[in-house]
Amino acid sequence: MTEIYGAPQPLSGNETVTILQQQNGQLAECTAPISDIAALSSFDFATYMQSLPTTLPSKAGAPWNNGGILSIS
């Protein structure tokens, strides 16, 4: 893993962040601009989670509420 010593300055918001997460035994990767991630701070995550299905969708790549954990089918 690459060590991070500091953020590039100044940030424009166009820099990308990549998150790797294991889901259902498979590695999922998501890359998004910092500006999109920052916008999530005003996002009502609880309401979004309540709007998702609580059973595994049959369609691959669909978000769902997996016992309170945001998951991708």
Side-chain angles (χ1 to χ4, degrees):
M1 179 190 238
T2 304
E3 292 187 36
I4 299 174
Y5 296 99
Q9 298 296 324
L11 293 174
S12 69
N14 293 324
E15 299 81 6
T16 57
V17 174
T18 300
I19 298 169
L20 297 171
Q21 180 183 29
Q22 188 167 350
Q23 296 179 357
N24 299 323
Q26 296 187 8
L27 192 60
E29 178 178 307
C30 174
T31 300
I34 285 179
S35 57
D36 288 358
I37 294 172
L40 292 175
S41 65
S42 63
F43 179 71
D44 187 350
F45 188 73
T47 300
Y48 175 69
M49 287 295 289
Q50 290 176 357
S51 73
L52 295 175
T54 55
T55 56
L56 179 65
S58 58
K59 178 183 174 187
W64 66 294
N65 182 341
N66 184 3
I69 298 170
L70 177 60
S71 296
I72 307 295
S73 63

